[in-house]
Amino acid sequence: MANTDISVSKEIGEALGWARRAFAYQETKIVTDYPWAKTVELKSATSRAFLKVATPPAGCKSLALISEYLSPNVPPLMTSDQERGLFLYADHRGEPVGRKLDAATKLSIITTYAAVQRKAVGHHDLIASLPQIQLDRIYDEFLQFLTPGGDDTPKLDGTVGAAHFLGRGSAQKYFDIFSAAEPLFRKFLARGAGLQPAINHCNLRPSNIARRKDGAIVIFDWDDALAGPPGLSLHSLFSGCCRPFAALAGISGAPKAERRESDRELLHAYVDQLCGDGAFDAKVVIPALPAIICAGVLNYLLAFGSYPVPDSSSRETIGKNMRRRFSDLMDVAQLLARDDRDAARNLADAFRSTGRESRAGQVLETSQSQSDAKPTKKAHSPSRSFEEAIEYSYQPGVFPALDISDEEQAAGSISPANRKLGFALFERHGTLMVRNAIPREIIARCHSEFMANYDSNLRDTKNADTLRGGDERCMVTTKFSGTFADPMVFASPFVLPILKKVLGKQAILGSMTSVLSLPGSADQQMHKDNSALFVEAPELVVPSFSVAMIVPLVALNQVNGATRVVKGSHRRTSDEAKTMPHQDPEVELGSCLLMDCRLSHQEMANNSDQPSPILNLVYQRPWYRDYQSFQKQVPLIMDDDGLDRVPDELKHLVDWV
């Protein structure tokens, strides 16, 4: 141990002497100290620089090109000695983003990273100079890494296997598991082949990211950069590859899928930025991305093989890190085995033989349930699924939701069973999410028309003809015209039947407005849109008389601003609602959120850099008028042409105008 410390001290001393030739510093401070690299902050009277000492001096040979081509999101390289592993970077002028990233910071990081990758694709000399990753060989290398071998000492080439960090017994167990899962992973990883190569950071951790005062993100430490399909590094932002897989595949019951909707939004933001100028095709990238991220995890684990460490404490720390990623890969294997009974049995046997009885049971149970569901999909028992859905909706953290099936989409109408279930869920909770209620292309047109027609509100929420809803937020009466007058918007065949069950057949469209949250808008206070009909008798149970259908024109999530609700609070006072748990449902484009007007709710902050508009259609019993919300503006704007466009069978919704 003493000799190691002396050699490290000597190494840094020599590196500091080398750095002084290019930068006259007065102060030094070690900011990172890993077996494979150390970083020293150098300060002069007026500026600072960062000295990177790579051990061994292998790393990427293209850092000068990366620094030149990818500025300003990569710090400038002042000088380097590639053979000795010494790199001196100018001050990136940023501060660490911290280990715990909020939604807005994570969005900025992932879109900045995508923009950097897109920019690099245009520099063919840079891509050609990078080490290439081979997806068709990576699983062979992974199994070789897990093979225990004779002992855990470094090989002749200086590399080590997993046993160096885990011990031979533990490495053998992982080898048995991932050998059993080999057919599943090979088929899965093949999805990531065929994309043109991009630059990949391969260590995109928060500790390698800073934010400048102007909000710009800077990414440093590109020593492990590779050329390969985009997405290899994203696992660091999602604690592995299972969450991205669950998010993009829409697997609600997957391990670690509790953040599915917010993860999906981030991944789509990444793809949108990556494909912005046509360098990549989103239709190709999105299906391949889960496999590419998985390959990134395999590459991350393999990288430890190049850095043997002498002390047991460091080995144990790295071993814990590796075990977390192995667990993540096992979660993915379980998902891949859902539709393959033979593979599921083999995987379950491997889990059982390595002492993972719980995983073995989960694999067999999930595979069996998936298999049983296929032949009986159209013949399931409506009464049983109805009772299960109702019971499930009462669980803490669960938001009542209804999925419109492909069959209903093709038929253009909601099934009687779903109509019954939707009504029951709404009646009990005063709120309901209906997924796939409106075609996404219609939502996209609504968004474009809103942004074009309400430009003044995008610049200032304090117009005289709008109702302010807090800081940087207002309600605008939206004209019943253009795409907003499309029956799929104001009379969705998947939602209107539920509303008529709730409000009666004579229900009308009482108002059409848009609530606009500008960037930086703060959280609203928890509130109810309308008072109880009889405030002197709050205990009186009154059926719904006014229901809002919230249609997001920008997905509602932690970044753009979700709508926080307290389910069941439509039958509780505001004070009682404060003691009840809340939910923050994330509503995708094409889905909508129904809320009783007496439901306690609040719009959350818009943490993005774009306006976040939602369309708010309020349906009500024909005798009800909302005297609280429309003292400054009219509830519905419609001219004769707009009325003429409404089909005869729907005119009863709006002919009161």
Side-chain angles (χ1 to χ4, degrees):
M1 288 292 288
N3 291 335
T4 300
D5 289 340
I6 292 171
S7 65
V8 167
S9 177
K10 179 181 178 182
E11 177 187 32
I12 291 181
E14 292 177 348
L16 288 171
W18 169 85
R20 188 177 289 280
R21 301 172 195 167
F23 183 75
Y25 58 86
Q26 283 83 47
E27 297 180 35
T28 65
K29 181 176 71 173
I30 295 180
V31 291
T32 63
D33 187 358
Y34 301 115
W36 49 87
K38 294 163 182 63
T39 305
V40 184
E41 181 183 22
L42 311 178
K43 283 187 177 182
S44 71
T46 58
S47 62
R48 65 177 179 173
F50 291 89
L51 170 64
K52 179 75 174 288
V53 183
T55 308
C60 174
K61 307 293 184 182
S62 309
L63 293 175
L65 290 178
I66 292 172
S67 176
E68 177 184 354
Y69 291 154
L70 304 184
S71 176
N73 299 112
V74 171
L77 181 64
M78 299 170 64
T79 185
S80 66
D81 185 334
Q82 186 78 47
E83 297 304 317
R84 296 170 63 189
L86 303 179
F87 307 94
L88 185 64
Y89 290 96
D91 185 8
H92 51 63
R93 295 179 292 105
E95 295 299 327
V97 295
R99 295 184 62 183
K100 293 185 177 181
L101 305 178
D102 58 37
T105 301
K106 191 174 285 190
L107 178 65
S108 295
I109 291 171
I110 204 167
T111 52
T112 298
Y113 180 60
V116 167
Q117 289 186 297
R118 190 180 71 187
K119 187 176 182 180
V121 168
H123 296 285
H124 303 291
D125 55 337
L126 170 58
I127 300 299
S129 69
L130 294 168
Q132 306 282 320
I133 188 170
Q134 304 295 329
L135 260 62
D136 58 344
R137 293 167 47 189
I138 195 167
Y139 205 78
D140 291 326
E141 296 172 6
F142 178 61
L143 290 179
Q144 182 64 36
F145 177 63
L146 292 175
T147 305
D151 56 40
D152 58 2
T153 59
K155 304 173 187 176
L156 292 177
D157 61 0
T159 63
V160 293
H164 180 75
F165 306 100
L166 306 170
R168 290 190 294 275
S170 184
Q172 181 67 58
K173 290 180 180 180
Y174 284 122
F175 176 82
D176 293 343
I177 291 169
F178 289 109
S179 293
E182 181 178 358
L184 294 169
F185 276 107
R186 287 197 183 279
K187 184 178 179 181
F188 182 50
L189 291 168
R191 300 183 196 175
L195 273 73
Q196 73 164 316
I199 187 171
N200 290 274
H201 185 278
C202 295
N203 198 11
L204 197 64
R205 299 179 303 152
S207 59
N208 289 331
I209 301 168
R211 178 167 44 199
R212 299 191 179 106
K213 289 183 178 180
D214 61 0
I217 295 294
V218 59
I219 302 170
F220 44 89
D221 278 356
W222 291 80
D223 302 51
D224 298 319
L226 291 172
L232 286 169
S233 307
L234 297 187
H235 64 90
S236 298
L237 300 177
F238 296 91
S239 301
C241 55
C242 187
R243 277 173 49 192
F245 181 25
L248 292 176
I251 305 173
S252 57
K256 303 178 183 177
E258 65 276 3
R259 301 178 184 174
R260 183 180 58 157
E261 302 304 330
S262 58
D263 286 347
R264 183 183 301 174
E265 292 295 331
L266 281 171
L267 291 163
H268 276 276
Y270 168 78
V271 173
D272 288 345
Q273 182 64 248
L274 183 74
C275 302
D277 59 2
F280 294 92
D281 183 353
K283 293 180 180 178
V284 178
V285 174
I286 289 177
L289 199 54
I292 297 170
I293 298 174
C294 179
V297 172
L298 298 176
N299 180 70
Y300 172 80
L301 288 164
L302 289 171
F304 286 111
S306 299
Y307 302 108
V309 292
D311 62 287
S312 59
S313 177
S314 295
R315 290 191 195 187
E316 184 178 348
T317 299
I318 293 173
K320 288 180 180 179
N321 191 354
M322 293 173 65
R323 286 187 175 90
R324 284 195 292 269
R325 289 297 182 257
F326 287 137
S327 179
D328 176 65
L329 289 169
M330 286 189 282
D331 289 340
V332 171
Q334 288 183 223
L335 296 182
L336 295 174
R338 287 156 63 102
D339 297 320
D340 190 327
R341 291 285 296 276
D342 291 337
R345 281 195 290 268
N346 292 336
L347 185 60
D349 288 344
F351 281 147
R352 191 175 291 111
S353 68
T354 57
R356 293 171 170 83
E357 291 289 343
S358 177
R359 281 191 181 270
Q362 291 169 6
V363 170
L364 294 176
E365 181 181 357
T366 304
S367 174
Q368 180 66 46
S369 64
Q370 288 288 101
S371 177
D372 292 345
K374 288 180 180 179
T376 60
K377 187 175 181 180
K378 295 183 179 179
H380 69 284
S381 168
S383 60
R384 181 179 180 184
S385 63
F386 175 87
E387 296 299 334
E388 288 177 347
I390 296 298
E391 181 180 357
Y392 180 68
S393 71
Y394 279 100
Q395 294 185 18
V398 172
F399 193 83
L402 191 70
D403 289 291
I404 302 302
S405 67
D406 293 341
E407 292 81 5
E408 289 170 303
Q409 293 280 356
S413 61
I414 191 171
S415 67
N418 253 355
R419 179 174 180 256
K420 176 184 176 183
L421 177 59
F423 168 71
L425 289 171
F426 185 86
E427 186 181 40
R428 286 163 172 78
H429 301 295
T431 186
L432 174 70
M433 187 191 305
V434 184
R435 300 191 180 99
N436 302 317
I438 301 173
R440 285 194 172 201
E441 57 270 20
I442 290 180
I443 298 300
R445 292 203 301 270
C446 285
H447 181 265
S448 297
E449 291 174 20
F450 181 88
M451 299 298 282
N453 296 333
Y454 297 94
D455 179 70
S456 63
N457 299 103
L458 297 174
R459 289 181 274 106
D460 185 6
T461 60
K462 301 177 182 178
N463 291 350
D465 61 344
T466 61
L467 177 66
R468 294 195 66 196
D471 178 54
E472 296 298 316
R473 184 180 283 110
C474 68
M475 183 179 76
V476 184
T477 301
T478 310
K479 187 175 181 181
F480 189 93
S481 63
T483 309
F484 291 101
D486 190 313
M488 284 301 297
V489 175
F490 73 89
S492 166
F494 311 115
V495 181
L496 189 59
I498 298 174
L499 292 169
K500 289 195 171 186
K501 182 74 172 173
V502 172
L503 298 169
K505 294 181 179 179
Q506 300 305 312
I508 63 172
L509 176 62
S511 63
M512 176 187 281
T513 63
S514 295
V515 177
L516 174 65
S517 299
L518 295 183
S521 62
D523 295 345
Q524 278 186 327
Q525 295 294 318
M526 187 69 75
H527 66 283
K528 296 174 182 284
D529 282 343
N530 299 98
S531 304
L533 280 182
F534 304 101
V535 294
E536 67 276 13
E539 75 284 353
L540 186 64
V541 177
V542 177
S544 297
F545 51 86
S546 178
V547 176
M549 182 172 95
I550 295 175
V551 181
L553 304 186
V554 173
L556 299 184
N557 52 40
Q558 296 176 21
V559 178
N560 300 322
T563 298
R564 175 169 292 177
V565 302
V566 180
K567 64 181 182 183
S569 58
H570 64 311
R571 293 181 178 168
R572 297 289 187 270
T573 66
S574 295
D575 287 340
E576 290 174 324
K578 292 177 182 178
T579 66
M580 301 166 65
H582 63 256
Q583 294 79 36
D584 295 349
E586 297 191 345
V587 189
E588 296 180 334
L589 296 180
S591 300
C592 68
L593 188 64
L594 303 182
M595 297 195 314
D596 189 289
C597 69
R598 300 162 294 176
L599 193 79
S600 291
H601 67 283
Q602 65 182 129
E603 302 285 344
M604 305 305 289
N606 180 359
N607 294 314
S608 75
D609 58 0
Q610 298 293 324
S612 179
I614 60 173
L615 183 63
N616 192 30
L617 301 121
V618 176
Y619 301 82
Q620 57 203 43
R621 295 182 186 267
W623 46 262
Y624 180 72
R625 292 293 182 271
D626 182 356
Y627 69 93
Q628 292 174 283
S629 302
F630 296 101
Q631 298 181 18
K632 296 180 63 176
Q633 61 202 94
V634 295
L636 192 61
I637 299 176
M638 176 184 293
D639 55 24
D640 290 340
D641 290 340
L643 183 60
D644 290 340
R645 289 182 56 195
V646 177
D648 290 342
E649 66 273 17
L650 298 175
K651 275 191 167 58
H652 67 279
L653 291 172
V654 295
D655 59 10
W656 64 270
V657 179

